[in-house]
Amino acid sequence: MSTDVVALLRAEFGERVDVRPSALEAVRADKSGHSAPGLPLAVVHAASVADVQATLRIASATRTPVVPRGAGTGLAGGANTGGGEISLSVRGMDRVLEVRPDDLLAVVEPGILNADLNALLEPHGVWWAPDPASRAISTVGGNIATGAGGLLCAKYGVVRDAVLGVDLVLADGRLLRLGHRSVKGVTGLDLTSLVIGSEGTLGVVVGATLKLRRLVEGERVTLTALFDGVRAAAVASAAVTASGAQPAIMELMDATSLAAVHRLLSLPAPPPGAAQLTVQTDGPVAATEARAIADVLRAAGGTVTVAADAAEGEALLAIRRAMHPAMETLGTTLIEDVSVPRSALPDMFDEIARIERQFGLAIPAVAHAGDGNLHPNFVFEGPEVPPVVWDAAEELFRAALALGGTLTGEHGIGVLKRRWLADELGDDQWRLQRDIARVFDPLGILNPGKVFAP
Amino acid sequence: MSTDVVALLRAEFGERVDVRPSALEAVRADKSGHSAPGLPLAVVHAASVADVQATLRIASATRTPVVPRGAGTGLAGGANTGGGEISLSVRGMDRVLEVRPDDLLAVVEPGILNADLNALLEPHGVWWAPDPASRAISTVGGNIATGAGGLLCAKYGVVRDAVLGVDLVLADGRLLRLGHRSVKGVTGLDLTSLVIGSEGTLGVVVGATLKLRRLVEGERVTLTALFDGVRAAAVASAAVTASGAQPAIMELMDATSLAAVHRLLSLPAPPPGAAQLTVQTDGPVAATEARAIADVLRAAGGTVTVAADAAEGEALLAIRRAMHPAMETLGTTLIEDVSVPRSALPDMFDEIARIERQFGLAIPAVAHAGDGNLHPNFVFEGPEVPPVVWDAAEELFRAALALGGTLTGEHGIGVLKRRWLADELGDDQWRLQRDIARVFDPLGILNPGKVFAP
């Protein structure tokens, strides 16, 4: 049957069906480093909505699993494609179909890169706020599929807050237009929100109506504060939130992360054990807000450095942005993604320290401290995640849930967290969610084995 | 069987089951004026989550329809309860269980009134932003069930933007806890958003974790602008949005509405044909923004009056707030609720004028001009909506859809718009939505006949 499927795809798409071993190998993995077992049947490079529909009609007729794919920058294995599966790439569908600064919306295809979209929007005086760290290399469709977050979320929201509608191709090839173009709209169930973060289990996103913002006017002020340790930095960040200030960015780096980045960038070593907060304010009262935040940070024991200008501010933020390359110098990493209420950040860092001791591991961690989302990095040698790391990760998930948090703030469940999904949802909700996915995809051909796999 | 159901409810709840004719009569209607046919079996006054669960277990066992109810202030008939049905009131479940200003969240029961909640939150320096015009008399649970909007939505968002999680009792009595307490969270499907605006078809909301905002600091500046006609006012409001200014409130009243309110409040009559915009800015740059908006409005031909102080500002807004009482002086009203992209507001007012001429009706209209949501009021005599009004309303819905808009911005579908739901969703999406509701409620006992009724 596999041969038949590829023949059917070839008959429909010709050269846009890629079966070269290197291409098949490439779609087995995303940026998590995890790979699906086996070799996919083919990669279909869709160029239009009709291509996606035709692929899904062939897949439905032949009961072949389909894994939708954007730029493959996910961190949970959601786009990993294995033996017997079709990788359906919408990366080539990257047009901006409409920009309406007056209505603060844009209509786009899913394959456009987040950063490319914002470059196109800038001359219109508008932007799309979601800014995952991967924004230069990740697609808008992928941002929607994972419900991406980023650095600016406490002030400017997550993807769910920035999408008015999506066009979705169902497993049987039918096209649905979900959502609306108006600010308000409550006609029927909110399927747009249901699709955001559904990781390819409900359909293939082939278009989106995005909610835009005006470019933020005024200056940006960037500052850092060094603390004796990560708990002090976390307490200080919670104090900033509790003070009522609303920074655009507030990032936390623990001592191991900070030291690794300084080594990578050939900067002078930070004081031993020192953790750092990096804060940026923007908008018409950026300077006033930055002064108030600096006062809170000093009162919490921080040594504050305020950037003299925008260039110096970018240099300070570059330290945070170098986190992932720095981790790669230490070994293979499993990047985790728990999120907790902001007041629980200090306790969550205590839990990470406890788990490091308990399992004899180093777990360098950074956090989007403004919104309570932590990325602890489990570093190990070799390509496979060792059992001890999974045991420690499980302990991390339990600790986050106990603090009122969640397994994943912005990366999704994919394959890497599916084992723990029912722990957070409960069995009743887990089954209900899976049954809802079945309504969209009765044959179970859409990204099977992801999210809801037992 | 009806007697058995009431006996079962009585055995469980005693005096909290109300079968007095006046009580049964009262729950047949909401504020739409429309009543369900027949007399309900009983009103259950739930005092706890367990009460709601017990009611739904009895309802499931006896296949009895259940209509959840808050304060009954809906405008689409969603809470109307008819013959053979149980009205399940959660109005008595009105406690605030937790307020966390540091995490900007509150945990509440569904029956608390929106305004009462905000009065309780104010000493903590926080507020819940959704502000439907009914906020003094409508419940948080009802706001969630309808996906309510209000006056502040363009700047401060709708209910969907202000809820982190809901506790939901399913048709069979099981309790699900949906959503999370953290800013970010993408664990599985976003069922919280699915429940928002689901109008009692998926379950009974028995609790909610609300996303709060800091109280807005600084002054508020209120101004009005008079225009020769409603089109000029609509063009001016679109110009304000397009200028990049972000008023907290921007309300539009057409000539008939404005004149009716002036009569009701014994104010001097406005110039014949004059329409009015009422704008309020807030926050640290309120005064600067108000000046910029006044310039845009004057350039668009408006005669601008800026309130000298907060009291005068409230008096200007009171004119807009008196719209519904003023309409009641004219006759019975059917309040419609279409929403369009903001740039389409002038064209939508042209369509209303055309429909007035075509059907020989007066349709006084106001709009939340900042977000494109219009409330045209069909005024008629007697308790029943005459066929000509429904014909005109249908034409209104068609016009809104043709302009890229939606049937309902904030009131919901209920019974009054169910005939047109498939026109907006398309048949495929209509069936998919109904099938999703069936996953939550396989027996179809939750608010049957609402939203998805054929």
Side-chain angles (χ1 to χ4, degrees):
Chain A
M1 184 162 98
S2 304
T3 320
D4 291 347
V5 174
V6 174
L8 288 168
L9 293 171
R10 275 235 181 269
E12 180 80 30
F13 300 109
E15 288 306 301
R16 290 208 310 283
V17 178
D18 197 339
V19 293
R20 290 171 303 159
S22 62
L24 301 179
E25 186 59 42
V27 298
R28 289 181 57 218
D30 63 3
K31 290 280 180 196
S32 70
H34 183 90
S35 285
L39 211 57
L41 294 176
V43 183
V44 175
H45 294 282
S48 67
V49 173
D51 282 358
V52 173
Q53 293 183 280
T55 303
L56 285 162
R57 278 193 289 263
I58 291 170
S60 276
T62 57
R63 304 284 200 275
T64 312
V66 172
V67 182
R69 191 177 185 89
T73 60
L75 291 166
N80 293 358
T81 315
E85 300 181 331
I86 300 167
S87 174
L88 173 54
S89 171
V90 294
R91 178 68 182 87
M93 296 170 61
D94 62 357
R95 291 179 302 165
V96 174
L97 302 176
E98 190 182 357
V99 179
R100 291 294 299 257
D102 52 350
D103 286 325
L104 291 173
L105 66 83
V107 180
V108 304
E109 292 186 329
I112 189 166
L113 298 182
N114 183 316
D116 289 350
L117 170 64
N118 275 310
L120 278 164
L121 293 176
E122 194 177 2
H124 298 279
V126 290
W127 64 303
W128 192 53
D131 79 322
S134 61
R135 67 191 183 286
I137 54 169
S138 64
T139 65
V140 169
N143 288 188
I144 291 171
T146 53
L151 276 63
L152 302 172
C153 299
K155 185 162 187 178
Y156 294 112
V158 291
V159 166
R160 172 186 185 257
D161 304 310
V163 179
L164 292 169
V166 296
D167 296 339
L168 188 77
V169 174
L170 296 178
D172 61 13
R174 281 177 298 160
L175 172 65
L176 298 185
R177 297 188 187 280
L178 312 177
H180 43 83
R181 288 169 65 94
S182 46
V183 173
K184 292 175 180 166
V186 290
T187 301
L189 301 177
D190 183 1
L191 297 192
T192 303
S193 292
L194 196 70
V195 167
I196 295 169
S198 63
E199 303 187 50
T201 63
L202 303 185
V204 181
V205 174
V206 294
T209 303
L210 305 177
K211 189 173 166 181
L212 307 179
R213 288 175 174 272
R214 303 268 168 215
L215 290 174
V216 179
E217 289 187 13
E219 59 186 330
R220 281 163 215 264
V221 182
T222 310
L223 55 91
T224 60
L226 265 184
F227 292 87
D228 284 345
V230 71
R231 180 169 233 284
V235 168
S237 77
V240 169
T241 300
S243 78
Q246 182 55 76
I249 293 173
M250 183 159 61
E251 294 292 313
L252 192 160
M253 301 180 74
D254 74 0
T256 315
S257 307
L258 190 64
V261 170
H262 277 238
R263 272 196 304 279
L264 179 75
L265 301 181
S266 304
L267 296 169
Q276 183 161 288
L277 281 178
T278 310
V279 176
Q280 190 172 77
T281 59
D282 65 3
V285 290
T288 316
E289 246 185 332
R291 274 192 298 275
I293 290 170
D295 288 345
V296 172
L297 295 175
R298 282 191 201 97
T303 305
V304 173
T305 306
V306 182
D309 53 33
E312 202 178 305
E314 277 312 298
L316 293 177
L317 268 173
I319 292 173
R320 167 62 182 88
R321 294 220 170 95
M323 174 66 182
H324 295 311
M327 287 300 103
E328 284 171 354
T329 66
L330 300 181
T332 316
T333 52
L334 173 71
I335 305 173
E336 279 310 334
D337 178 41
V338 293
S339 200
V340 295
R342 287 165 279 195
S343 64
L345 257 188
D347 287 349
M348 191 66 220
F349 276 105
D350 286 349
E351 292 286 12
I352 293 171
R354 176 181 67 76
I355 294 167
E356 285 184 310
R357 289 191 303 272
Q358 184 177 332
F359 293 87
L361 297 169
I363 315 176
V366 293
H368 307 304
D371 62 50
N373 182 202
L374 300 98
H375 296 308
N377 288 252
F378 292 90
V379 184
F380 52 90
E381 312 236 315
E384 289 297 321
V385 180
V388 63
V389 167
W390 280 128
D391 291 346
E394 178 162 316
E395 192 68 18
L396 180 83
F397 301 151
R398 277 214 196 97
L401 292 179
L403 289 170
T406 177
L407 283 177
T408 172
E410 57 186 16
H411 295 170
I413 299 293
V415 287
L416 295 182
K417 287 194 196 72
R418 60 189 178 181
R419 266 200 273 169
W420 296 281
L421 180 59
D423 291 348
E424 179 168 338
L425 299 184
D427 290 339
D428 285 345
Q429 191 187 161
W430 187 93
R431 273 191 296 270
L432 184 79
Q433 292 207 359
R434 188 204 51 192
D435 291 348
I436 291 169
R438 290 272 165 82
V439 173
F440 286 79
D441 173 26
L443 301 175
I445 62 165
L446 277 171
N447 219 1
K450 313 292 165 53
V451 188
F452 298 113
Chain B
M1 184 163 98
S2 302
T3 319
D4 290 347
V5 174
V6 174
L8 288 167
L9 293 170
R10 275 235 181 269
E12 180 80 29
F13 300 110
E15 289 305 303
R16 284 197 275 118
V17 178
D18 197 339
V19 293
R20 289 171 303 155
S22 61
L24 301 179
E25 186 59 40
V27 297
R28 289 180 58 218
D30 62 3
K31 291 279 180 196
S32 70
H34 182 91
S35 286
L39 210 58
L41 293 177
V43 182
V44 175
H45 294 281
S48 67
V49 174
D51 283 356
V52 173
Q53 294 183 280
T55 304
L56 285 162
R57 279 193 289 263
I58 291 170
S60 276
T62 57
R63 305 283 201 276
T64 312
V66 173
V67 182
R69 190 176 185 91
T73 61
L75 291 167
N80 293 359
T81 315
E85 300 181 331
I86 299 168
S87 174
L88 173 54
S89 171
V90 295
R91 177 68 182 85
M93 295 170 62
D94 62 356
R95 290 178 302 166
V96 174
L97 303 175
E98 191 182 356
V99 179
R100 291 296 298 256
D102 52 350
D103 286 324
L104 291 173
L105 66 83
V107 181
V108 305
E109 291 186 330
I112 188 166
L113 297 182
N114 183 314
D116 289 350
L117 171 64
N118 276 309
L120 279 164
L121 293 176
E122 193 176 3
H124 298 279
V126 290
W127 62 303
W128 193 52
D131 79 321
S134 60
R135 66 192 184 285
I137 54 170
S138 64
T139 64
V140 170
N143 288 188
I144 291 171
T146 53
L151 277 62
L152 301 172
C153 299
K155 185 162 186 178
Y156 293 111
V158 292
V159 166
R160 172 186 185 255
D161 304 310
V163 179
L164 293 169
V166 295
D167 296 340
L168 188 77
V169 174
L170 296 178
D172 62 11
R174 282 178 297 158
L175 173 66
L176 298 184
R177 298 190 186 279
L178 312 176
H180 44 84
R181 288 169 64 94
S182 47
V183 174
K184 292 175 180 168
V186 291
T187 300
L189 302 177
D190 182 0
L191 296 193
T192 303
S193 292
L194 195 69
V195 167
I196 294 169
S198 64
E199 303 186 49
T201 62
L202 304 185
V204 181
V205 173
V206 293
T209 303
L210 306 177
K211 187 172 166 183
L212 307 179
R213 288 175 173 271
R214 304 269 168 217
L215 289 174
V216 179
E217 289 186 14
E219 58 187 332
R220 283 164 214 262
V221 182
T222 309
L223 55 91
T224 60
L226 265 184
F227 293 86
D228 284 345
V230 71
R231 180 168 234 284
V235 168
S237 78
V240 169
T241 300
S243 78
Q246 182 55 76
I249 293 174
M250 183 160 59
E251 294 292 312
L252 192 162
M253 301 180 75
D254 74 359
T256 315
S257 307
L258 190 63
V261 170
H262 277 238
R263 271 196 305 278
L264 179 74
L265 301 182
S266 304
L267 296 169
Q276 183 161 288
L277 282 178
T278 309
V279 176
Q280 188 171 77
T281 59
D282 65 2
V285 290
T288 316
E289 247 186 332
R291 275 193 297 274
I293 290 170
D295 288 345
V296 171
L297 296 175
R298 280 191 203 100
T303 305
V304 174
T305 307
V306 182
D309 53 32
E312 202 178 305
E314 277 312 298
L316 293 178
L317 269 173
I319 293 174
R320 166 61 182 88
R321 294 218 170 96
M323 173 65 183
H324 294 311
M327 289 299 103
E328 285 170 355
T329 66
L330 301 180
T332 316
T333 53
L334 174 71
I335 305 173
E336 281 309 334
D337 178 42
V338 294
S339 200
V340 295
R342 286 166 279 196
S343 64
L345 255 188
D347 288 350
M348 192 65 219
F349 276 106
D350 286 350
E351 292 285 11
I352 293 172
R354 176 182 66 75
I355 294 166
E356 286 184 310
R357 289 191 303 272
Q358 185 178 333
F359 292 87
L361 295 171
I363 315 176
V366 293
H368 306 305
D371 62 49
N373 183 201
L374 300 97
H375 296 309
N377 287 253
F378 291 89
V379 184
F380 52 90
E381 313 237 316
E384 289 298 319
V385 180
V388 64
V389 166
W390 280 128
D391 291 346
E394 179 163 315
E395 192 67 19
L396 181 83
F397 302 151
R398 277 214 195 97
L401 293 178
L403 288 169
T406 177
L407 283 178
T408 172
E410 56 188 14
H411 295 170
I413 299 294
V415 286
L416 295 182
K417 286 195 196 69
R418 61 189 178 181
R419 265 200 273 169
W420 296 281
L421 181 60
D423 291 349
E424 179 168 338
L425 299 183
D427 290 339
D428 285 346
Q429 190 186 162
W430 187 95
R431 272 191 297 270
L432 184 80
Q433 292 207 0
R434 188 204 50 193
D435 290 349
I436 291 169
R438 290 272 165 81
V439 172
F440 286 79
D441 173 26
L443 300 176
I445 62 166
L446 277 171
N447 218 2
K450 312 293 166 54
V451 188
F452 298 113

